[in-house]
Amino acid sequence: MTPPVALRNELQGVSSSARADLFRGASCNIESEVLATLANGQDPHASGTSTGFRVRHIRLPSGDTYSGTLLGSTPEGSGRYTWSDGTIYDGEWRTGMRHGQGKTLWPSGASYEGEYAGGYIYGEGTYTGQDNIVYKGRWKLNRKHGLGCQTYPNGDMFQGSWIQGEIQGHGKYTWGNGNTYTGNMKNGKMSGKGTFTWKNGDSYEGNWLDGMMHGYGIYTWSDCGYYVGTWTRGLKDGKGTLYPSGCRVPAGDELYIKNLRNRGVLPDPRRQNHGSRILHSSSVDMGNMKVGINRDSASSRRNSSDSRNVSLERRWSLEVAIEKFIGNENSETSENVDDSELPILEREYMQGVLISEVVLDRSFSGSSKKAKRRQKKTVRETKKPGEAIIKGHRSYDLMLSLQLGIRYTVGKITPIQKREVRASDFGPRASFWMNFPKEGSRLTPSHPAEDFKWKDYCPMVFRNLREMFKIDAADYMISICGNSALRELSSPGKSGSVFFLSQDDRFMIKTLRKSEVQVLLRMLPNYYNHVHTYENTLITKFFGLHRVKPSSGQKFRFVVMGNMFCTELRIHRRFDLKGSSLGRSTDKIEIDENTTLKDLDLNYSFYLEPSWREALLKQIKTDSEFLKSQRIMDYSLLLGVHYRAPQHLRTRASYRRTMTAERLTVLSEEDAQEDDAFNYPEGLVLVQRANDENSVVVGPHIRGSRLRSSAAGFGEVDLLLPGTARVQIQLGVNMPARAEQIPKEEDSKSFYEVYDVVLYLGIIDILQEYNITKKIEHAVKSMQYDSVSISAVDPEFYSERFLKFIQTVFPENS
């Protein structure tokens, strides 16, 4: 189910010019226009009233008319004002402004009746749009503000709280098909604690984020028990417990859930019901909340409401259906078993896909220390990688300086008219510097960090690179320089570089040595031409090169890069692959999702569709040839792997479909829209390219062509991840593949794990040239080790060895 979203703030059905006249300018100008009209003697219908008041009918030079009482030359009391475009206001006036009770009719058929103050809609009132959307509730300065109720032609209704035209706070949305949500809202979406109840009796109570189940919660099926666990962006993620129908919850678990409600981790039904009573007993105001995908016209909403509700529920109901299917499978073999004898199951999910299941003893005591540790671990959400840089952090001043400098740089270069880069835009001289004193200056703001000097390299070149990769300047600044802090990552390599990650994960900032800056400036013209020529290039995307020198410290040089792991899917394993073997294994005993593994740790081969493999290896060869021409070596292929369900954990439903040679199911657009959730396997599904581009998730800073599938007649395809999203497949981004375990020589197992995976890959660390230092390293290590196994080798040999190794990572399909 897709969350409701807020409509635009202004009144529907009213042109912007009419709104401006109605709410601001008209009231202010009436007095002067009336004076001018009276001076011309236009008053044939005047009649006296009480002292100082006159009733007049006036036609203004603009074509507007006013009929009502005047106090001196100012509308006062009751009157009717008609604009030349047909808009009419009939109601009370005070000192020339709409004030009190009144009614406005627009030519489009929209109307508002209620209270005004100071020329604005302010107080209690009812607005009826031209598409028959009706809002009744509180207003403030022409915006819905307070409590109210809004109904839609398709039968939907929303009641709750509005702030400055946005849905904020507690509310209740009821869909025409019977689904309801009661809980907290933020910016028109379900966020915070809330309960969603489906018309079939299923319900979810727990935490929400941007309209999706996110955090700790309880999903209850009307006919087969309930599940307690964590969700990530709408999908079960991590460990949880499934209680079958008829199962009595252990007393310890019941007490634990009650404590969570008291602490506010879970919504409290009693408080929510109390909130609902308040809404119904108050003068209701809730606002513009829509569930439609297409909100441009009332007719499209009415005609598509039924089909829309089906698609809205797919995201949630798909994994529910899979749960029920698994339950039905189990019940086929245990029809005579009493529900109360069914076991409690501890399950672990990876983004909606079941990967493990353990039967818990019915005598399990929820009060045990082990249970409490497991429950606390379940409640805790998955943390983002890195350490947030807050005040007091060792890098806090450095982060502030970096954010101030980037904001200044982008703000300075963006207004300049776009043009092609010139030779003068490259090189060390194509840079500028600026002082940032703590107290501020004529060109720079004051700031809490110490004084620093800022240097920006080749701003026009990097501005064009950002635009080449479709990065909006405002989004770029908000991502890096917004209110959210950057996160500092521990360096996975030997260089000692410090990495910072933007809060939205789109950009990575890396400290560079002076020699690396010199290499980048030297190769920048050729780099620019390369990425401009090869839109599917896999080499690192650079978006800015800067230097910060605090008044009492050393210089810091930074490069801003695109984060190739910015994706809604969790990266379960990441590998740094060079093709060498000396020292190419991780020293860590405990390996988690943030551990960067190396060549000798890789124990899987990845099988791609033949045409994709050919395109991938061709692009890697092209990029490697470019790096060889720049005398670059020691670069790596960074490979991120998102695992779907292992083959041996799949349900029988997964094997009822016909799979291609690469084990990827291909569906037509019509198949993808069917309502039966069992049509989907639990792995990967390719669907023909969507006509509606808004329904496809596109990765950040992505350019280039989509991939085509031979199984779809070499047409463009998208990747459909059941219950997750529909994503765009491109070279190195969202690439579906099959991962097969590489058998060890001493291993006699006849069965090896096979996974459906989604791959993300790119070539990184491209700023190390084969200089005198590396030549000495090569000579020394060659005397101690096999020269083929070491990383420090000539760029030509490095390129050949790198390509051969990558071919073994992505072997041909047999």
Side-chain angles (χ1 to χ4, degrees):
M1 196 217 76
T2 296
V5 297
L7 292 174
R8 59 184 189 271
N9 292 333
E10 63 267 18
L11 298 177
Q12 294 80 10
V14 189
S15 67
S16 58
S17 60
R19 279 195 304 274
D21 287 343
L22 174 61
F23 296 137
R24 294 176 177 84
S27 295
C28 301
N29 296 332
I30 287 175
E31 182 176 357
S32 60
E33 294 202 36
V34 169
L35 283 172
T37 305
L38 291 175
N40 292 331
Q42 296 180 17
D43 185 20
H45 306 291
S47 61
T49 59
S50 59
T51 305
F53 283 87
R54 293 168 293 169
V55 178
R56 310 297 295 265
H57 179 78
I58 303 169
R59 179 174 296 277
L60 305 175
S62 62
D64 300 349
T65 61
Y66 173 77
S67 179
T69 59
L70 296 172
L71 179 59
S73 58
T74 305
E76 187 82 13
S78 60
R80 180 186 180 94
Y81 193 99
T82 304
W83 281 263
S84 57
D85 65 356
T87 302
I88 301 172
Y89 169 77
D90 192 351
E92 298 176 337
W93 298 78
R94 179 181 292 179
T95 63
M97 293 184 288
R98 293 168 303 287
H99 192 96
Q101 292 291 329
K103 182 176 183 179
T104 299
L105 300 174
W106 286 274
S108 63
S111 66
Y112 169 80
E113 185 171 6
E115 296 177 340
Y116 291 81
Y120 293 92
I121 294 179
Y122 203 125
E124 193 85 17
T126 301
Y127 173 79
T128 303
Q130 62 182 24
D131 49 6
N132 292 324
I133 292 177
V134 179
Y135 169 81
K136 182 179 181 181
R138 302 290 301 176
W139 297 78
K140 182 179 181 180
L141 300 176
N142 300 336
R143 293 187 177 187
K144 298 163 187 172
H145 189 89
L147 295 178
C149 176
Q150 182 154 294
T151 58
Y152 299 90
N154 61 6
D156 293 359
M157 181 175 68
F158 178 68
Q159 298 172 285
S161 174
W162 290 71
I163 297 177
Q164 295 296 322
E166 294 284 352
I167 298 174
Q168 303 278 5
H170 190 82
K172 179 178 181 180
Y173 194 98
T174 304
W175 281 263
N177 63 4
N179 296 339
T180 60
Y181 170 80
T182 304
N184 290 330
M185 300 281 188
K186 184 177 181 181
N187 297 328
K189 296 181 180 180
M190 298 177 282
S191 289
K193 294 179 285 294
T195 301
F196 192 100
T197 305
W198 281 265
K199 61 181 178 181
N200 63 0
D202 292 359
S203 66
Y204 167 82
E205 56 173 317
N207 291 278
W208 298 77
L209 177 67
D210 290 334
M212 293 177 283
M213 297 182 281
H214 188 86
Y216 193 78
I218 301 175
Y219 194 106
T220 305
W221 290 275
S222 60
D223 54 357
C224 60
Y226 62 96
Y227 176 83
V228 181
T230 55
W231 278 255
T232 299
R233 302 192 71 83
L235 296 171
K236 294 189 187 78
D237 205 11
K239 288 187 178 181
T241 306
L242 177 67
Y243 298 92
S245 177
C247 165
R248 191 177 187 282
V249 183
D253 286 13
E254 277 189 339
L255 181 62
Y256 181 69
I257 292 173
K258 183 178 179 181
N259 289 336
L260 291 178
R261 287 199 173 100
N262 293 336
R263 286 162 41 201
V265 176
L266 286 175
D268 191 333
R270 293 171 301 177
R271 295 176 185 171
Q272 289 191 340
N273 292 335
H274 176 66
S276 299
R277 287 194 295 272
I278 292 175
L279 293 178
H280 284 289
S281 63
S282 305
S283 53
V284 232
D285 149 304
M286 290 280 310
N288 275 337
M289 191 166 184
K290 282 239 174 152
V291 295
I293 294 175
N294 181 0
R295 292 180 285 274
D296 292 336
S297 66
S299 60
S300 65
R301 278 191 296 271
R302 288 190 293 269
N303 296 335
S304 63
S305 60
D306 295 336
S307 62
R308 182 177 63 253
N309 284 329
V310 171
S311 63
L312 291 177
E313 291 191 19
R314 177 178 303 285
R315 182 179 181 93
W316 317 109
S317 63
L318 182 58
E319 62 166 319
V320 174
I322 292 174
E323 284 287 2
K324 289 187 176 181
F325 179 80
I326 294 173
N328 291 338
E329 275 195 323
N330 295 335
S331 65
E332 289 175 4
T333 58
S334 55
E335 292 180 355
N336 298 324
V337 178
D338 186 3
D339 284 347
S340 62
E341 297 178 5
L342 292 175
I344 299 175
L345 304 176
E346 181 182 78
R347 288 182 166 179
E348 184 174 3
Y349 289 83
M350 279 188 182
Q351 296 197 325
V353 177
L354 179 66
I355 62 171
S356 70
E357 185 175 90
V358 178
V359 177
L360 299 181
D361 190 349
R362 294 305 290 259
S363 62
F364 164 79
S365 172
S367 59
S368 68
K369 292 183 179 179
K370 184 177 180 181
K372 290 179 179 178
R373 282 198 302 268
R374 190 187 74 252
Q375 289 166 336
K376 288 180 180 178
K377 186 177 179 181
T378 303
V379 175
R380 194 163 52 240
E381 291 189 28
T382 304
K383 293 183 178 179
K384 288 186 175 183
E387 179 184 3
I389 304 174
I390 60 177
K391 194 169 184 179
H393 191 280
R394 60 185 177 278
S395 300
Y396 182 71
D397 280 359
L398 186 59
M399 179 192 72
L400 291 182
S401 303
L402 181 68
Q403 291 177 325
L404 282 167
I406 290 179
R407 190 181 298 124
Y408 175 81
T409 292
V410 177
K412 181 183 173 91
I413 195 70
T414 300
I416 299 176
Q417 186 174 3
K418 184 181 178 182
R419 60 171 174 80
E420 290 297 323
V421 294
R422 306 164 184 160
S424 59
D425 294 324
F426 294 95
R429 294 186 178 181
S431 59
F432 71 87
W433 62 270
M434 176 63 63
N435 277 320
F436 280 79
K438 186 171 185 176
E439 65 277 6
S441 67
R442 187 173 59 87
L443 298 175
T444 61
S446 59
H447 56 86
E450 62 177 315
D451 297 356
F452 68 92
K453 280 188 177 181
W454 171 262
K455 188 172 184 179
D456 189 36
Y457 296 92
C458 308
M460 182 57 72
V461 176
F462 288 107
R463 174 247 180 99
N464 282 19
L465 283 171
R466 291 193 294 269
E467 292 183 353
M468 190 185 301
F469 288 98
K470 303 174 184 177
I471 295 175
D472 180 73
D475 291 342
Y476 183 72
M477 286 194 290
I478 290 173
S479 179
I480 299 175
C481 313
N483 294 328
S484 299
L486 301 178
R487 301 198 305 279
E488 182 177 321
L489 307 178
S490 58
S491 175
K494 300 177 182 178
S495 65
S497 297
V498 179
F499 291 84
F500 301 111
L501 196 60
S502 64
Q503 193 62 28
D504 59 3
D505 294 342
R506 291 184 65 191
F507 303 102
M508 185 169 287
I509 303 168
K510 177 186 178 183
T511 60
L512 299 180
R513 301 188 302 272
K514 184 177 180 179
S515 60
E516 291 177 311
V517 173
Q518 292 171 343
V519 170
L520 179 53
L521 291 176
R522 174 182 61 77
M523 64 183 288
L524 190 56
N526 293 324
Y527 171 87
Y528 184 90
N529 292 332
H530 182 80
V531 298
H532 185 268
T533 303
Y534 299 99
E535 60 181 6
N536 292 316
T537 182
L538 298 173
I539 62 177
T540 305
K541 280 78 173 177
F542 294 126
F543 302 131
L545 182 61
H546 316 287
R547 190 187 76 185
V548 172
K549 186 183 184 306
S551 58
S552 60
Q554 63 177 0
K555 296 175 183 177
F556 292 91
R557 300 168 181 87
F558 297 91
V559 64
V560 182
M561 309 176 292
N563 177 21
M564 50 179 286
F565 291 158
C566 179
T567 170
E568 295 294 332
L569 301 182
R570 178 177 293 175
I571 303 298
H572 299 114
R573 288 292 180 267
R574 53 193 75 201
F575 298 90
D576 182 284
L577 307 174
K578 292 180 182 289
S580 59
S581 57
L582 181 63
R584 299 299 295 164
S585 62
T586 184
D587 299 328
K588 286 191 175 183
I589 298 176
E590 292 187 7
I591 296 174
D592 58 24
E593 295 177 3
N594 297 318
T595 304
T596 301
L597 304 173
K598 299 179 182 178
D599 302 59
L600 299 181
D601 303 314
L602 182 63
N603 61 342
Y604 283 90
S605 294
F606 300 97
Y607 292 88
L608 296 166
E609 178 171 314
S611 61
W612 298 356
R613 177 182 182 270
E614 180 182 355
L616 178 65
L617 295 181
K618 181 179 179 181
Q619 187 59 55
I620 292 176
K621 181 178 181 181
T622 301
D623 292 336
S624 182
E625 290 288 338
F626 163 73
L627 296 175
K628 181 175 69 174
S629 70
Q630 301 300 306
R631 302 294 294 165
I632 301 296
M633 42 75 68
D634 213 23
Y635 47 87
S636 311
L637 182 78
L638 186 60
L639 174 65
V641 184
H642 167 78
Y643 290 97
R644 303 303 285 180
Q647 185 179 17
H648 63 276
L649 287 176
R650 289 167 172 268
T651 64
R652 291 203 303 265
S654 299
Y655 294 106
R656 295 175 183 173
R657 302 193 59 85
T658 302
M659 310 296 277
T660 68
E662 291 72 39
R663 297 176 67 251
L664 296 175
T665 303
V666 180
L667 300 179
S668 66
E669 184 71 22
E670 291 76 16
D671 293 333
Q673 296 298 328
E674 289 181 4
D675 299 337
D676 185 2
F678 303 122
N679 283 340
Y680 292 91
E682 292 173 38
L684 306 173
V685 182
L686 298 182
V687 293
Q688 294 174 358
R689 178 177 177 178
N691 295 324
D692 180 13
E693 294 296 329
N694 293 328
S695 66
V696 180
V697 177
V698 182
H701 41 77
I702 296 301
R703 59 192 282 263
S705 57
R706 295 178 184 233
L707 292 181
R708 299 172 180 269
S709 172
S710 58
F714 289 99
E716 294 181 347
V717 291
D718 297 324
L719 174 61
L720 182 67
L721 301 173
T724 306
R726 180 177 187 149
V727 296
Q728 182 171 306
I729 306 173
Q730 290 187 261
L731 207 63
V733 182
N734 300 323
M735 293 186 70
R738 182 178 82 251
E740 292 189 2
Q741 191 177 34
I742 301 173
K744 297 180 180 179
E745 294 182 1
E746 68 276 8
D747 202 340
S748 59
K749 286 196 305 183
S750 59
F751 172 79
Y752 300 99
E753 289 186 345
V754 178
Y755 290 86
D756 284 332
V757 296
V758 183
L759 303 180
Y760 299 82
L761 48 95
I763 299 174
I764 63 169
D765 296 337
I766 63 171
L767 299 179
Q768 178 59 61
E769 63 180 350
Y770 193 54
N771 54 24
I772 186 65
T773 304
K774 287 295 179 181
K775 290 178 181 178
I776 295 173
E777 180 184 343
H778 171 77
V780 172
K781 288 188 175 180
S782 295
M783 292 187 291
Q784 300 175 329
Y785 309 101
D786 181 1
S787 60
V788 177
S789 67
I790 63 178
S791 180
V793 295
D794 178 83
E796 187 167 349
F797 178 74
Y798 191 97
S799 175
E800 293 175 2
R801 184 181 64 185
F802 180 72
L803 291 172
K804 287 181 181 178
F805 178 72
I806 297 304
Q807 288 174 356
T808 65
V809 176
F810 301 98
E812 290 188 75
N813 278 291
S814 57

